[in-house]
Amino acid sequence: EAGVTQFPSHSVIEKGQTVTLRCDPISGHDNLYWYRRVMGKEIKFLLHFVKESKQDESGMPNNRFLAERTGGTYSTLKVQPAELEDSGVYFCASSQARGAHNEQFFGPGTRLTVL
Amino acid sequence: AQSVTQLDSHVSVSEGTPVLLRCNYSSSYSPSLFWYVQHPNKGLQLLLKYTSAATLVKGINGFEAEFKKSETSFHLTKPSAHMSDAAEYFCVVSELQDTGRRALTFGSGTRLQVQP
């Protein structure tokens, strides 16, 4: 069974440009999460989809970040325009069911560098 | 509010010696606790989880962790380190939110180095 995949693995862009990150969750997982790790700090929650609906986007840093999950399958996270402080590793995770103790399966992350 | 403190940012051990990665947490309710491992260029992989059953939890690859409520600790141990254990390890506390989301709070990570 394929795990969570993310594309690209690395992205280097200049300040002010736009970048779109993609996440393909494990097939059949309704829950999809985005996290971010900035420069060796803790991994922080960004938002949570249940199918195509945003369940919780309390972690999104500002309105330069836009996440979508059309059709409840893959998700994209767009940063427009990118700023220097957006550099970091963006992780996606998916899980099968809500409720207690459901494991989140993580992708390898996308390393974003904004110059 | 929940929080996690991983007491060591780097740990170096020799192959064949014990591993101890320390984690302290705070949580308003009875938490679920996890250890994840990340090898280079790989996703975070679940090592083990505590969900209010047995306080001593066994995970994959010979790792185990003991939940100690009185000490608010969830330290990760392994009797004998292997070269393949070199990776970054994350202690995670989880609480169920009103939205139905299990909010994961990550520690800052401990990078384990294994010397031959």
Side-chain angles (χ1 to χ4, degrees):
Chain A
E1 179 185 325
V4 177
T5 58
Q6 293 185 244
F7 182 82
S9 56
H10 294 81
S11 180
V12 180
I13 61 172
E14 293 189 349
K15 176 182 171 181
Q17 289 186 320
T18 297
V19 63
T20 300
L21 314 182
R22 174 172 170 142
C23 168
D24 286 80
I26 293 172
S27 177
H29 281 194
D30 287 342
N31 294 281
L32 187 149
Y33 310 82
W34 283 98
Y35 295 85
R36 177 174 75 167
R37 188 182 194 191
V38 175
M39 282 303 293
K41 295 193 173 181
E42 292 86 357
I43 298 170
K44 298 280 194 183
F45 167 79
L46 295 178
L47 87 159
H48 170 212
F49 284 98
V50 177
K51 297 185 180 178
E52 67 277 5
S53 299
K54 291 177 187 173
Q55 194 75 8
D56 182 348
E57 51 184 332
S58 60
M60 294 287 264
N62 52 59
N63 59 10
R64 295 185 293 103
F65 289 76
L66 175 64
E68 294 180 324
R69 192 182 182 195
T70 307
T73 54
Y74 70 91
S75 174
T76 57
L77 180 64
K78 181 191 289 188
V79 185
Q80 180 181 29
E83 298 289 344
L84 299 178
E85 64 264 24
D86 301 333
S87 296
V89 181
Y90 290 76
F91 292 100
C92 176
S94 70
S95 69
Q96 191 166 30
R98 298 170 71 174
H101 317 310
N102 55 309
E103 177 185 349
Q104 293 184 23
F105 294 84
F106 283 79
T110 293
R111 182 174 296 277
L112 174 65
T113 302
V114 183
L115 303 176
Chain B
Q2 55 193 27
S3 68
V4 179
T5 302
Q6 290 185 244
L7 294 140
D8 306 293
S9 59
H10 289 82
V11 169
S12 182
V13 300
S14 298
E15 189 175 21
T17 64
V19 176
L20 169 64
L21 305 184
R22 298 182 293 167
C23 172
N24 286 96
Y25 71 93
S26 68
S27 176
S28 302
Y29 306 103
S30 297
S32 296
L33 293 159
F34 305 80
W35 276 97
Y36 280 85
V37 60
Q38 186 182 23
H39 289 91
N41 301 316
K42 297 289 179 93
L44 284 85
Q45 180 186 18
L46 182 67
L47 268 182
L48 50 80
K49 60 183 177 183
Y50 166 76
T51 57
S52 74
T55 56
L56 182 62
V57 182
K58 293 188 183 299
I60 61 172
N61 300 335
F63 284 94
E64 62 182 39
E66 186 171 8
F67 173 71
K68 291 187 177 180
K69 187 174 182 179
S70 60
E71 299 176 10
T72 61
S73 69
F74 190 57
H75 301 333
L76 181 70
T77 60
K78 182 173 180 177
S80 176
H82 192 272
M83 295 297 290
S84 61
D85 295 328
E88 190 163 20
Y89 292 78
F90 296 92
C91 182
V92 182
V93 63
S94 170
E95 286 184 348
L96 188 61
Q97 307 292 293
D98 293 340
T99 59
R101 173 176 75 88
R102 290 208 69 83
L104 298 187
T105 300
F106 286 78
S108 55
T110 299
R111 194 168 294 278
L112 176 65
Q113 194 174 24
V114 182
Q115 309 283 358

